[in-house]
């Protein structure tokens, strides 16, 4: 059986990380620094225009537009935090990638059941990346299509005007020319498109990275679980138990590396959801009250939910796999065979497996219970916003 090519399986992820210069293999030198300042300098410049628009709306007491502009402001803040953490933990991410590649290289030496598990996991990782890239691309596409469709609508009505990528106030010297000067309009449109593109790229790289690593850890634990099924039906029980212990140490070490990389990131993801989700929902509700169906808000809401749900779901799955390993160790048939050494080793394995194999944030374990609590808190914040501003 052929080995799995890591670069092909994770092609979307790795290409995105190379584009925005956060791939672990990217050389950090003066040229990297120059590229970084160009890419994120332009990104920050567009952010300054958004902040200017937000402040102008607050001064003019246009609270609806102020809430609308708070969405890209929050996106910029969390994009920069996520990006800085990806750079900070690049060595750990490189180590995790090296472990996955090493596991893929072992496929020809595995038995058929273990091969099937790891092949299925790799296919699922590829499937997740494809669908996540489609969702993030849809965010960019919706803004483009909205401006194009509105432009066509105005042309059909004989009243053509420039329709921006994202409606906002610019400083006066730009604002007075953006609707009658094609070059100024092109400048503003390109800046808004660039800001959204960089945001999409960072979320494409940062969000699925942890869940994909967790899914691989699940495959490691599943292989251990399979090895327990016939542990006492063959000879060399002690040798095969020793191999299982090594596999478990390998899996637990891999999970520890994931925690090392993503503990802070997932704490920020939870806080990001609590801030952005109520704001976007409130902005969408206000737009709907005005007779507007802001489809771009729907995409942002869905993407925000996915950003929070994915790590919670796969961390919960990882916890379940850890529990399945513990149960498999207990139900392997040790009671039918008198082997004191094997029983002692099994006892150690079962005791170690009592510790949840979960990914944690700073203050909590990332799982579906945490997701439920975060949704409940976001709903409370949304109700408070409605009570304060309505």
């Amino acid at each position: 059986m052929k080995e799995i090519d890591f670069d092909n399986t994770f092609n979307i992820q790795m290409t995105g990380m190379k584009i925005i210069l956060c791939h672990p293999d990217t050389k950090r030198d003066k040229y990297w620094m120059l590229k970084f300042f160009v890419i994120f300098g332009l990104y920050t410049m567009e952010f300054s225009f958004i902040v200017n628009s937000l402040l102008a709306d607050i001064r003019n007491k246009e609270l609806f537009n102020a809430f609308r502009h708070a969405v890209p402001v929050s996106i910029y803040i969390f994009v920069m935090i996520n990006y800085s953490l990806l750079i900070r933990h690049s060595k750990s991410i490189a180590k995790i990638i090296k472990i996955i590649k090493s596991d893929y290289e072992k496929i020809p030496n595995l038995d058929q059941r273990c091969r099937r598990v790891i092949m299925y996991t790799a296919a699922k990782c590829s499937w997740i990346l494809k669908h996540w890239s489609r969702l993030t691309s849809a965010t960019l596409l919706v803004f483009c299509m909205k401006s194009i469709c509105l432009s066509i609508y105005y042309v059909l009505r004989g009243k053509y005007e420039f329709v921006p990528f994202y409606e906002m106030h610019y400083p006066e010297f730009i604002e007075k020319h953006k609707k009658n000067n094609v070059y100024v309009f092109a400048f503003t449109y390109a800046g808004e498109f660039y800001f959204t593109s960089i945001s999409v790229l960072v979320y494409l790289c940062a969000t699925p990275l942890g869940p994909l690593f967790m899914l691989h850890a699940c495959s490691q634990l599943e292989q251990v679980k399979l090895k327990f099924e016939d542990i006492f039906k063959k000879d060399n029980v002690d040798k095969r138990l020793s191999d299982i212990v090594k596999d478990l140490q390998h899996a637990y070490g891999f999970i520890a590396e994931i925690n090392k990389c993503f503990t802070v990131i997932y704490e920020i993801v939870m806080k990001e959801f609590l801030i952005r989700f109520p704001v976007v929902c409130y902005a969408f509700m206000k737009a709907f009250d005005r007779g507007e169906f802001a489809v771009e808000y729907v995409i942002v809401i869905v993407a925000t939910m996915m950003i929070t749900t994915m790590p919670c779901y796969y961390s919960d799955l990882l916890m379940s796999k850890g529990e399945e390993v513990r149960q498999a160790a207990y139900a392997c048939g040790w009671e039918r065979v008198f082997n004191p050494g094997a029983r002692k080793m099994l006892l150690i394995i079962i005791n170690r497996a009592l510790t949840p194999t979960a990914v944690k944030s700073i203050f909590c374990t990332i799982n579906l219970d945490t997701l439920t609590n975060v949704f409940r808190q976001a709903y409370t914040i949304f109700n408070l916003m409605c009570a304060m501003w309505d």
Side-chain angles (χ1 to χ4, degrees), residues 60-271:
N60 296 330
K61 297 182 179 180
E62 296 179 2
L63 295 182
F64 169 72
N65 287 331
F67 267 100
R68 190 167 59 85
H69 295 318
V71 176
V73 168
S74 70
I75 288 173
Y76 173 87
I77 293 170
F78 289 111
V79 159
M80 295 306 294
I81 292 173
N82 280 322
Y83 185 83
S84 63
L85 289 171
L86 285 177
I87 296 297
R88 179 183 176 184
H89 296 296
S90 59
K91 290 184 179 179
S92 293
I93 293 173
K95 185 177 180 180
I96 292 173
I97 291 173
K98 185 178 179 181
I99 292 171
I100 296 175
K101 287 182 176 179
S102 175
D103 288 345
Y104 286 170
E105 290 171 359
K106 297 175 184 175
I107 289 178
N109 301 322
L110 300 175
D111 63 38
Q112 189 174 0
R113 294 179 304 168
C114 293
R115 287 178 188 171
R116 195 178 298 118
V117 168
I118 202 165
M119 294 290 287
Y120 171 79
T121 302
K124 196 168 185 180
C125 288
S126 181
W127 182 88
I128 290 170
L129 277 174
K130 286 178 182 177
H131 283 76
W132 179 246
S133 65
R134 288 170 184 170
L135 178 61
T136 51
S137 299
T139 306
L140 186 63
L141 185 62
V142 162
F143 283 94
C144 291
M145 291 303 298
K146 184 177 180 180
S147 64
I148 292 170
C149 291
L150 284 175
S151 298
I152 294 172
Y153 171 76
Y154 289 132
V155 168
L156 294 176
R157 297 199 56 179
K159 183 187 174 183
Y160 181 75
E161 62 178 74
F162 294 129
V163 179
F165 183 86
Y166 177 79
E167 187 65 47
M168 55 189 284
H169 296 291
Y170 284 91
E172 187 177 351
F173 66 93
I174 297 177
E175 186 68 27
K176 64 182 180 180
H177 294 297
K178 73 174 184 179
K179 290 191 176 181
N180 53 32
N181 187 308
V182 66
Y183 298 108
V184 175
F185 173 77
F187 168 77
T188 57
Y189 195 98
E192 293 156 8
F193 181 87
Y194 182 80
F195 180 89
T196 308
S197 299
I198 295 298
S199 300
V200 164
L201 270 174
V202 173
Y203 278 114
L204 176 64
C205 296
T207 302
L209 201 59
L212 295 177
F213 292 161
M214 293 180 214
L215 195 56
H216 185 77
C218 288
S219 76
Q220 293 175 334
L221 294 174
E222 181 65 23
Q223 291 174 65
V224 173
K225 175 187 165 185
L226 291 173
K227 291 179 180 180
F228 274 118
E229 292 180 359
D230 57 359
I231 190 73
F232 287 106
K233 296 178 182 178
K234 298 178 182 179
D235 297 332
N236 300 324
V237 174
D238 292 339
K239 171 65 169 59
R240 290 194 292 128
L241 270 176
S242 179
D243 290 341
I244 286 175
V245 169
K246 291 178 182 178
D247 290 342
L248 279 173
Q249 289 176 333
H250 178 69
Y252 292 151
F254 185 76
I255 295 167
E257 284 297 325
I258 296 174
N259 270 307
K260 184 178 178 181
C261 289
F262 295 98
T263 295
V264 177
I265 289 178
Y266 286 143
E267 186 63 40
I268 291 168
V269 165
M270 298 298 118
K271 300 300 183 283

Side-chain angles (χ1 to χ4, degrees), residues 260-368:
K260 184 178 178 181
C261 289
F262 295 98
T263 295
V264 177
I265 289 178
Y266 286 143
E267 186 63 40
I268 291 168
V269 165
M270 298 298 118
K271 300 300 183 283
E272 179 181 6
F273 181 84
L274 287 175
I275 294 171
R276 186 181 306 155
F277 188 77
V279 171
V280 179
C281 288
Y282 184 81
F284 175 79
M285 185 185 72
K286 284 300 180 183
F288 192 79
D289 288 343
R290 294 185 174 197
E292 304 173 16
F293 183 74
V295 66
E296 64 272 21
Y297 291 151
V298 176
I299 295 293
V300 173
I301 289 170
V302 172
T304 303
M305 291 176 66
M306 290 298 296
I307 288 169
T308 311
T309 301
M310 284 175 64
C312 291
Y313 173 79
Y314 285 104
S315 180
D316 199 85
L317 180 64
L318 186 58
M319 290 176 65
S320 298
K321 287 295 178 185
E323 178 62 19
E324 287 176 13
V325 167
R326 189 181 70 84
Q327 292 179 3
Y330 182 77
C332 65
W334 57 269
E335 71 281 2
R336 294 189 295 270
V337 179
F338 183 73
N339 188 329
R343 290 183 178 185
K344 288 179 182 179
M345 195 171 295
L346 278 171
L347 183 61
I348 293 171
I349 292 171
I350 292 170
N351 283 333
R352 172 60 183 85
L354 286 171
T355 304
T357 53
V359 175
K360 299 179 180 179
S361 66
I362 296 175
F363 298 110
C364 62
T365 300
I366 302 299
N367 55 24
L368 294 179

